[in-house]
Amino acid sequence: MKSKRGFYPYAVWMAIFVIVPLGMILYYSFTNAGGSFTFDNFIRIFTSKKPDYMGILLTSLRIALISTLICLVLAYPFAYIMSRMTEKRQRTMNLLIMLPMWMNFLLRIYAWMMLLEENGLINRLFGLIGFGPIQMINTEGAVIIGMVYNFLPFMVLPIYSVMAKIEQNLIEASQDLGGNMLQTFRRVILPLSLPGVITGITMVFVPAASTFVISQSLGNMMMIGDTIEMFFVGTSQNFNIGSALSLILMVIILISMAIMNHFDKDEDGGNLI
């Protein structure tokens, strides 16, 4: 009985903040301004050329994928090195990773704007060695840099938390059985760390695909998150188109998560060894 009573607050919370918003998105997606059922919102999204909604969506997914891959390449070796440190150093490294996250998100973006602008610190350093100035701000590369900087901790921490549980004697056993570094990585470390990799990819790709502040500030470009925001709070307010775009993005993200979960059937990665 107590467990059922304890469930009610969570059920109410889910209904108010998850089910009701999703229901509103579905309603506006399939209705017009007069409240009549229609598919015109989706037809407009898939056929419109000015603006090219599908082009914006594909660009957003491409940038999100690039940012996710860069985060993975940077985070994986760092997480492994960190997991092999002493407990005291691991706690220190955890603190250093989380420290930037304690600052306001917009403040971190503005800091990168100052670093990347034409007269910013990076271009000044390039000037000292005879380069530049290089156009960095208002480029796609600047958006990727901003995403990698802000979302990298979400890749490092899940991978680290899994790698920290890998016993050193498993690695030593592989080496004792004649496995070289590459074989040990492929047959022991990678399979056991795969759940953390999948979690990290999901935690980075989802916010990167839907972000709307980084692209505006660093790239002066429209991504799908910016477009959705425009329809809800901008001058071109249109809840129906905005909801339809949100639904399409939600479906794509859910499909991506389902694909990733397909490779994570076993929590411990044991089925891959």
Side-chain angles (χ1 to χ4, degrees), residues 205-247:
F205 180 77
V206 171
S210 57
T211 187
F212 60 92
V213 176
I214 298 174
S215 52
Q216 290 181 20
S217 302
L218 297 179
N220 194 23
M221 60 185 295
M222 291 288 289
M223 292 181 63
I224 194 64
D226 306 302
T227 308
I228 293 172
E229 182 204 22
M230 177 185 67
F231 284 123
F232 282 100
V233 298
T235 56
S236 305
Q237 194 173 82
N238 188 324
F239 288 179
N240 304 102
I241 297 294
S243 297
L245 278 171
S246 300
L247 187 60

Side-chain angles (χ1 to χ4, degrees), residues 60 62 71 78 94 119 141 170 208 215 242 245:
S60 302
R62 176 174 57 80
C71 284
F78 181 80
N94 264 312
N119 296 319
L170 292 176
S215 52
L245 278 171

Side-chain angles (χ1 to χ4, degrees), residues 240-267:
N240 304 102
I241 297 294
S243 297
L245 278 171
S246 300
L247 187 60
I248 292 171
L249 180 61
M250 189 187 310
V251 170
I252 292 173
I253 289 175
L254 289 175
I255 292 173
S256 302
M257 293 176 66
I259 293 172
M260 295 306 301
N261 288 333
H262 176 73
F263 296 100
D264 190 25
K265 293 178 180 178
D266 190 324
E267 218 173 53

Side-chain angles (χ1 to χ4, degrees), residues 131-193:
F131 288 101
I134 300 173
Q135 177 64 34
M136 291 182 286
I137 197 72
N138 295 331
T139 63
E140 191 175 294
V143 176
I144 293 173
I145 290 173
M147 286 187 179
V148 171
Y149 172 77
N150 282 283
F151 301 139
L152 185 60
F154 298 111
M155 183 70 76
V156 173
L157 294 178
I159 298 176
Y160 157 73
S161 65
V162 172
M163 283 188 169
K165 298 176 184 177
I166 300 177
E167 297 291 340
Q168 183 63 30
N169 56 16
L170 292 176
I171 299 174
E172 293 173 353
S174 173
Q175 295 171 343
D176 290 342
L177 292 172
N180 56 33
M181 291 181 62
L182 182 60
Q183 291 172 327
T184 300
F185 171 76
R186 185 170 62 87
R187 294 182 176 272
V188 179
I189 299 174
L190 180 60
L192 293 177
S193 64

